[in-house]
Amino acid sequence: MRQAQSALDNDRLEQKRLTGLGFTVCGVGAILECKAMLLRLQTPKTPRRQLDMVRNAKWAQPKRAQHAMSKVQQVQDSKAPPPVKKRSAGRPSNRGKRREELLAKATLLFNERGISGTSLGLLAEELGIARASVYHYIDSRDELVFQCYKSSCEWTSRDLEQAETESTGYERVIEFVRLTLTPDRDPVAALTEVNSLSAPIAKIICQMNDKNIAHLARFISEGEKDGSIRIGDAMLMSQSIGGMLAWAQLLPLWTYKRKASEMRAMAAETIVALLETGLSVDRSNPFENQLLATDFETQYTNIFDPDQAAAMRNEVVLKTASGLFSRNGVEATSIDEIAEKIGVTKGVLYHYFEDKSDLIKRCYERTFDLYDRFIDAAQTTSGTSLDIVQANTHLNIQAQTGKIAPLMPQPGFGSLPKPTRNRLLKRARLQNESLAIILDQAIKDGIARPFRSQLVTHIGAGAIGWIPKWLPEENTYKPFEISDKITDLFRFGLRA
């Protein structure tokens, strides 16, 4: 009772005070309304930047602020989280797009310059961004290499799955080739330096690649069963086609400059035609080679002669380094590994070259010297112009499967000093042109089918140069046996 009386007395005092200020007050509800109004009058004007926090003052807000405050109020009233705008299915985010652009540019650089010649700083410069920005998408160069190689294997796997819908084994192979070299697709990384990655990561890429090669070999085996593909070694054919497709990614570097999309379209057309018919018009006429690649190595007759002994040791260094570079990649092969393979110290090895770049240059010079000898030897044969081309092919395959070990053209060439690169590139193109001239003569003679001869010789080089990537050092094949089978693939094609 006393509490009620006290509250009533307080209301009367407040009513009297408000009346003195000029308010007309009737009842307790009116008292509360008047107190609220008085509070608003006594509150200092709120700064504009805080207006969106003031309630019951919409008249002071611009329309955008009113709208924003209304949205906030709706959320507060409903106790619900703000609505999230859903992204349409399959549409990558801006971050995803930028990451794809980064991987595409890295792939181009790895294919041209190799891993050792591609730094994150160079990648950032090519993209026109700060080096630090690259780390928003990847943690290190090793992760970048892994992601590019993984993406390459995934594209191949998807293409193989899509080609499964074709009706015969041969048609599946051809559809796979066309999908892989789709002109408007970004190039994929050639798996040339997988061993530069840490062992567990390299194992993942190797397993993915092996699975894809086995998938392609299954297409060929199915084609042999359904009669669409001639009987042969399915795995050897699969690896050879894989080498052609990998080399097609590197064609712009070794050929006269064309757009990458144009080169892929031309390569796809040429590889499909080569697999369809082969080079020879007469498929009943086999090729038999009598030349041995080992006969064209530099011969040393007097190991007691100081100059010959030094030249022989130099040859051992270049042969060993070339074999390791071709098999493992330039980045993955250290000078220590080369020295260990030869059985000398690293210090002794540096008596023969200045640095790793100089060693790579010397390996290429030795390779082109061998290629010149092979072309000259092939032209001494008594066969047709097509036989001359095939003899050169046979010698090159022998060299890659045996102990001669020419250095296969590969990424990293683009990072050599420009004068050296231009000189070696000129030699490569002259050799390619000389073989193309002989093939053109075979086409004119009516014994070879019409092809872009220079492109055929490049694609053949890709299949041959890829051999060290897949052929184990210890294998059951003999060099002449592999050479016969791959030469037959070029001569007769894949189709039955």
Side-chain angles (χ1 to χ4, degrees):
M1 187 71 179
R2 290 179 180 177
Q3 290 178 350
Q5 184 63 42
S6 176
L8 183 60
D9 291 342
N10 287 338
D11 285 344
R12 287 174 178 171
L13 289 172
E14 188 64 26
Q15 181 178 358
K16 183 177 181 180
R17 186 176 73 85
L18 291 171
T19 302
L21 290 172
F23 290 101
T24 302
V25 182
C26 299
V28 176
I31 292 174
L32 295 177
E33 291 179 4
C34 291
K35 288 174 69 175
M37 187 177 294
L38 181 61
L39 180 62
R40 288 198 298 271
L41 291 172
Q42 292 175 342
T43 301
K45 186 176 181 180
T46 306
R48 173 171 285 275
R49 64 182 177 179
Q50 297 179 4
L51 287 177
D52 61 338
M53 301 174 62
V54 180
R55 301 183 63 185
N56 302 322
K58 286 188 177 181
W59 54 270
Q61 302 290 341
K63 289 184 178 180
R64 280 182 295 178
Q66 290 182 30
H67 178 71
M69 188 179 72
S70 174
K71 290 288 185 184
V72 172
Q73 185 59 44
Q74 289 174 17
V75 171
Q76 290 175 343
D77 291 344
S78 64
K79 305 287 186 180
V84 177
K85 184 177 180 181
K86 294 184 178 180
R87 193 178 304 278
S88 59
R91 184 179 177 183
S93 64
N94 287 335
R95 187 178 189 279
K97 287 181 180 178
R98 287 193 291 270
R99 189 173 185 277
E100 289 175 3
E101 291 171 3
L102 182 140
L103 291 179
K105 178 59 69 174
T107 292
L108 288 172
L109 290 173
F110 288 148
N111 283 350
E112 178 182 350
R113 302 180 61 85
I115 294 173
S116 60
T118 304
S119 65
L120 294 184
L122 176 63
L123 176 60
E125 182 180 343
E126 290 286 327
L127 290 169
I129 61 176
R131 188 176 188 274
S133 299
V134 175
Y135 290 102
H136 289 299
Y137 307 100
I138 49 100
D139 293 330
S140 64
R141 188 179 66 172
D142 284 350
E143 185 196 348
L144 182 61
V145 175
F146 170 69
Q147 292 297 338
C148 289
Y149 282 179
K150 178 171 172 284
S151 175
S152 178
C153 292
E154 288 171 344
W155 269 111
T156 301
S157 179
R158 286 193 291 268
D159 291 340
L160 287 164
E161 289 295 334
Q162 189 171 339
E164 285 276 8
T165 59
E166 300 299 319
S167 57
T168 68
Y170 174 76
E171 289 170 348
R172 292 179 199 121
V173 173
I174 296 304
E175 179 64 13
F176 166 66
V177 170
R178 288 195 174 111
L179 289 170
T180 301
L181 298 179
T182 301
D184 58 355
R185 180 186 293 182
D186 286 335
V188 296
L191 307 181
T192 55
E193 299 181 272
V194 175
N195 289 332
S196 67
L197 299 168
S198 63
I201 300 301
K203 184 177 180 181
I204 293 173
I205 299 299
C206 287
Q207 288 174 342
M208 295 176 74
N209 184 57
D210 290 346
K211 183 179 178 181
N212 289 336
I213 291 295
H215 197 157
L216 181 57
R218 177 165 62 80
F219 286 171
I220 296 173
S221 296
E222 290 168 350
E224 291 175 348
K225 291 177 183 178
D226 65 34
S228 62
I229 292 177
R230 65 182 181 83
I231 302 298
D233 188 319
M235 185 55 72
L236 199 60
M237 290 178 176
S238 175
Q239 294 284 11
S240 298
I241 294 171
M244 295 180 200
L245 296 176
W247 183 247
Q249 305 296 336
L250 309 178
L251 276 173
L253 174 63
W254 289 91
T255 57
Y256 297 103
K257 293 295 183 181
R258 292 176 181 267
K259 290 182 179 179
S261 59
E262 183 182 353
M263 287 302 305
R264 281 197 296 276
M266 292 169 60
E269 178 186 341
T270 302
I271 294 173
V272 167
L274 196 59
L275 296 177
E276 173 74 25
T277 64
L279 291 171
S280 180
V281 171
D282 183 3
R283 301 187 78 191
S284 64
N285 183 21
F287 168 74
E288 293 183 6
N289 178 61
Q290 304 298 327
L291 299 173
L292 287 173
T294 51
D295 290 342
F296 303 100
E297 286 190 281
T298 304
Q299 303 297 321
Y300 301 98
T301 57
N302 183 6
I303 62 173
F304 298 103
D305 178 85
D307 292 336
Q308 285 200 34
M312 185 171 64
R313 288 192 296 269
N314 185 66
E315 175 71 10
V316 170
V317 169
L318 296 179
K319 183 188 298 186
T320 304
S322 295
L324 290 171
F325 288 149
S326 293
R327 184 172 301 280
N328 301 323
V330 172
E331 172 73 6
T333 303
S334 66
I335 300 299
D336 289 319
E337 186 178 358
I338 297 169
E340 182 181 351
K341 184 83 172 178
I342 297 172
V344 299
T345 65
K346 185 176 178 179
V348 169
L349 211 57
Y350 274 110
H351 286 297
Y352 300 95
F353 54 88
E354 297 176 4
D355 52 27
K356 194 172 183 179
S357 178
D358 182 51
L359 176 59
I360 295 168
K361 179 197 74 171
R362 290 170 184 262
C363 287
Y364 273 124
E365 288 172 342
R366 170 183 175 270
T367 294
F368 291 128
D369 287 343
L370 279 169
Y371 289 167
D372 282 338
R373 293 175 207 153
F374 291 163
I375 294 172
D376 291 341
Q379 293 185 80
T380 65
T381 60
S382 57
T384 66
S385 48
L386 179 58
D387 290 337
I388 293 172
V389 174
Q390 297 263 261
N392 178 75
T393 300
H394 204 284
L395 287 169
N396 275 275
I397 299 170
Q398 288 182 55
Q400 290 294 354
T401 55
K403 304 296 183 182
I404 299 177
L407 176 56
M408 65 162 281
Q410 59 183 293
F413 181 81
S415 63
L416 290 173
K418 189 173 181 179
T420 300
R421 186 172 70 246
N422 289 343
R423 185 174 68 255
L424 294 175
L425 192 56
K426 183 178 179 180
R427 290 192 68 181
R429 287 173 172 168
L430 286 173
Q431 289 173 347
N432 176 264
E433 288 170 0
S434 64
L435 286 170
I437 289 171
I438 300 171
L439 183 55
D440 281 335
Q441 184 60 50
I443 294 170
K444 290 179 181 178
D445 294 340
I447 57 177
R449 298 182 185 276
F451 279 95
R452 288 188 176 94
S453 55
Q454 286 196 6
L455 199 52
V456 168
T457 56
H458 273 295
I459 289 170
I464 296 167
W466 204 249
I467 291 173
K469 295 297 182 186
W470 58 265
L471 185 67
E473 288 188 79
E474 302 298 328
N475 63 85
T476 58
Y477 289 111
K478 295 179 181 179
F480 229 78
E481 178 187 5
I482 296 181
S483 300
D484 283 344
K485 291 181 177 180
I486 297 179
T487 302
D488 281 351
L489 178 62
F490 287 121
R491 190 176 186 91
F492 303 125
L494 189 67
R495 187 157 196 166

